[in-house]
Amino acid sequence: SPTSAIPPTDEIGDRAEAALARCGVDHLTEAGAAGRLYARTPITGGALLALAHATERDVDHAITAAHETFQTTWRDTPAPERGALVRRLGDLLREHKYDLADLVSIEAGKIRSEAAGEVQEMIDICDFALGLSRQLYGRTIASERPGHRLMETWHPLGVVSVVTAFNFPVAVWSWNTAVALVCGDTVVWKPSEMTPLTALACDALLSRAAAETGAPANVHQVLLGGPDVGERLVDDPRVALVSATGSVRMGRTVGPRVAARLGRCLLELGGNNAAVVAPSADLDLAVRGTVFAAAGTAGQRCTSLRRLIVHEDVAETITDRIVAAYEQLRVGDPLNEDTLVGPLVGERAYTAMREALAQATADGGAVLVGGNRCLEQEAPDAYYVEPAVVRMPVQSAIVREETFAPILYVLTYRTFDEAIELHNGVSQGLSSAVFTRDQREAERFLAMSDCGIVNVNIGTSGAEIGGAFGGEKDTGGGRESGSDAWKAYMRRATNTVNYSDELPLAQGVRFL
Ligand code: UN1
């Protein structure tokens, strides 16, 4: 497949430092020998900078400061005033859109337009959260007693710890943080170890917004580190909500630990997203939707399309067209405007892809296109791959697993019931799609898909921020971003107010 040349690590490092400086990160604390964390780029696999890993004390200090700021100022600051902080952040994000996008490309390997799109999600959620800051509505409920009012009020929750993954290093942080901040919570963020620089840039922009709007500096803090930092955030009783994005395995550890202290959890875990292509589908849409969702972001979105469930009558036509489109995909340097597929994040992802392809083949699958490593000579420490399409005879165990790489499994069906059964026959439940022109089929799919996101005639990835984002089953059940997802970041109080001279008891109970 066509490829684009790879720039040297030094050049990428200079570009990262320039972007960081423009975002206001000027003095990076170089780490001592102990507790080093390296900022790296998957573009070459090279190291960019050594940073300090947060210590146990750093974590404790951050939680203490966040808790104090919550108690003493932030929760009592009027919500529209809290919104002013997020509005300023949105302005700064507009100004530094391409600086952050550079860092996202450099650390996560995302192509230019997808990296800019990710920053656009941040800008959009700031607008949303600003509006929300005047709309944290509770209900008024008809009381059964005369002279009484029953109502719900929403109050800030406390410290929210946000744990994010490498693949959406800035957008997922902003969904959580912009909403949590207007809800009156303070935030302690543990970004992925693979994307520390983007995190420092976000933190610097938010600090600047706080200074300029008079918000306390400790409304937000960032902690760079590995699972040990995450574990402390999970176990600390002062953390009211743990909002974590990552693998199902991570969620299975975090969920029960937070539950053991009766804390709250918001989990965004893996997906194994499918699209059903019906015989009446507009194949132009189906092909474009499939190729972006399956090969875009090198298959490293939690919403990436991993299974295509195609009616037998259109299977050959559509697979031929997808294969032809895959042959045109340019793989290589994500900073180059012509590239469509950047690198995998690292060696483990590459090994997982190879192993999955080997297993799929052993299960009777036929690789129709892709699957090879590329640019190995130019970038021996980076992992570029050709996105793969594999025709599978059955939905075997490997198909039911989420492999975080660009592999699209194609399965066929005869009846729509069969399609739904295959579709729902995995443990994850994030995103789903149907391509059809038959309204009854579309409506049945909307009702029957067991995912949190169910689309018609568009792919599985690339959701807008206005809706609630998240999924069911092993995906963890959490909802972030738009709609009423804000309710997870607040506590609800039910209030009964008696404005009469009597004290009638509910349910007609008599006493004294
Ligand atoms: C993720 O992959 O963790 O819907 C988030 C999408 C993006 C968000 C993906 N808006 O693909």
Side-chain angles (χ1 to χ4, degrees):
S1 55
T3 56
S4 45
I6 307 302
T9 304
D10 283 359
E11 204 177 282
I12 300 169
D14 291 347
R15 187 161 173 169
E17 281 187 51
L20 282 168
R22 286 193 294 269
C23 291
V25 186
D26 29 25
H27 52 281
L28 282 167
T29 1
E30 282 270 333
R36 269 192 186 169
L37 181 142
Y38 283 94
R40 298 180 169 278
T41 178
I43 301 176
T44 61
L48 302 172
L49 281 164
L51 301 163
H53 186 296
T55 62
E56 191 175 341
R57 265 184 52 147
D58 294 336
V59 181
D60 185 60
H61 281 175
I63 299 173
T64 304
H67 191 245
E68 235 172 67
T69 304
F70 171 73
Q71 298 262 340
T72 57
T73 41
W74 199 238
R75 66 174 172 183
D76 295 326
T77 305
E81 214 176 292
R82 301 192 297 244
L85 167 61
V86 166
R87 177 176 52 205
R88 184 68 192 124
L89 175 64
D91 289 344
L92 292 173
L93 291 171
R94 284 178 171 85
E95 209 176 294
H96 294 283
K97 181 170 180 180
Y98 292 96
D99 295 328
L100 272 185
D102 270 7
L103 292 167
V104 170
S105 292
I106 288 169
E107 287 196 315
K110 239 176 234 198
I111 62 165
R112 297 290 295 152
S113 80
E114 289 193 60
E118 189 182 343
V119 183
Q120 187 59 45
E121 286 196 39
M122 307 175 81
I123 295 168
D124 295 342
I125 198 73
C126 286
D127 284 356
F128 180 91
L130 172 62
L132 182 64
S133 73
R134 290 183 183 269
Q135 299 176 79
L136 299 169
Y137 299 142
R139 303 167 192 259
T140 306
I141 301 152
S143 169
E144 66 191 52
R145 287 170 279 189
H148 282 59
R149 182 157 59 95
L150 193 55
M151 63 183 180
E152 282 177 351
T153 48
W154 291 87
H155 305 272
L157 200 58
V159 179
V160 175
S161 84
V162 177
V163 177
T164 54
F166 83 89
N167 67 326
F168 268 80
V170 296
V172 174
W173 166 74
S174 71
W175 301 345
N176 281 282
T177 302
V179 172
L181 287 175
V182 301
C183 288
D185 303 325
T186 54
V187 175
V188 179
W189 180 23
K190 192 202 95 60
S192 159
E193 283 160 277
M194 290 178 250
T195 57
L197 301 180
T198 55
L200 293 175
C202 292
D203 183 58
L205 293 173
L206 182 51
S207 297
R208 196 175 135 197
E212 290 174 6
T213 55
N218 288 330
V219 287
H220 181 259
Q221 294 166 89
V222 63
L223 294 167
L224 303 182
D228 54 314
V229 172
E231 279 170 31
R232 294 208 168 85
L233 292 171
V234 161
D235 292 335
D236 197 303
R238 293 170 298 176
V239 174
L241 171 69
V242 177
S243 176
T245 302
S247 65
V248 173
R249 204 169 52 108
M250 179 277 287
R252 285 197 200 287
T253 317
V254 169
R257 276 173 82 154
V258 177
R261 63 172 175 87
L262 301 178
R264 283 205 209 174
C265 226
L266 195 170
L267 298 174
E268 294 290 357
L269 311 175
N272 188 349
N273 317 298
V276 172
V277 182
S280 70
D282 177 330
L283 291 187
D284 289 342
L285 293 191
V287 170
R288 286 184 52 213
T290 298
V291 176
F292 170 64
T297 335
Q300 299 172 108
R301 288 195 191 214
C302 56
T303 50
S304 287
L305 180 63
R306 311 210 177 276
R307 298 176 295 138
L308 195 67
I309 302 168
V310 192
H311 190 272
E312 313 183 305
D313 290 354
V314 285
E316 208 173 305
T317 320
I318 193 163
T319 41
D320 285 353
R321 290 185 57 182
I322 292 169
V323 167
Y326 267 51
E327 280 163 351
Q328 304 303 312
L329 293 172
R330 187 181 291 275
V331 182
D333 174 18
L335 292 164
N336 181 325
E337 299 283 348
D338 298 330
T339 301
L340 289 175
V341 181
L344 291 178
V345 70
E347 186 179 4
R348 283 228 308 264
Y350 173 64
T351 309
M353 179 170 176
R354 258 196 15 223
E355 286 173 2
L357 287 173
Q359 185 57 53
T361 316
D363 293 348
V367 178
L368 304 180
V369 67
N372 299 312
R373 188 169 169 189
C374 29
L375 294 157
E376 204 177 341
Q377 301 296 319
E378 296 85 335
D381 299 324
Y383 296 89
Y384 291 88
V385 290
E386 298 166 343
V389 176
V390 187
R391 176 76 188 254
M392 292 301 293
V394 289
Q395 183 157 268
S396 60
I398 192 66
V399 179
R400 297 196 305 272
E401 226 172 78
E402 178 191 44
T403 302
F404 223 60
I407 304 175
L408 177 67
Y409 299 110
V410 179
L411 300 154
T412 51
Y413 76 90
R414 205 165 310 173
T415 66
F416 202 66
D417 284 342
E418 249 173 70
I420 302 266
E421 198 179 310
L422 281 169
H423 178 276
N424 290 349
V426 297
S427 64
Q428 310 86 345
L430 180 57
S431 187
S432 58
V434 67
F435 286 91
T436 182
R437 279 190 277 212
D438 178 328
Q439 191 182 1
R440 278 187 292 186
E441 256 173 13
E443 293 292 339
R444 269 185 73 207
F445 188 76
L446 292 175
M448 298 295 290
S449 160
D450 58 8
C451 291
I453 298 171
V454 191
N455 297 334
V456 178
N457 292 331
I458 67 160
T460 53
S461 67
E464 301 178 15
I465 61 95
F469 183 92
E472 304 299 333
K473 303 196 286 184
D474 280 1
T475 303
R479 292 295 188 280
E480 293 172 336
S481 188
S483 184
D484 64 351
W486 60 271
K487 290 179 176 171
Y489 302 81
M490 299 196 89
R491 63 181 175 82
R492 177 200 325 238
T494 302
N495 315 127
T496 309
V497 178
N498 176 6
Y499 56 92
S500 74
D501 302 328
E502 309 291 327
L503 192 75
L505 300 177
Q507 299 89 39
V509 172
R510 297 191 176 281
F511 202 85
L512 273 180

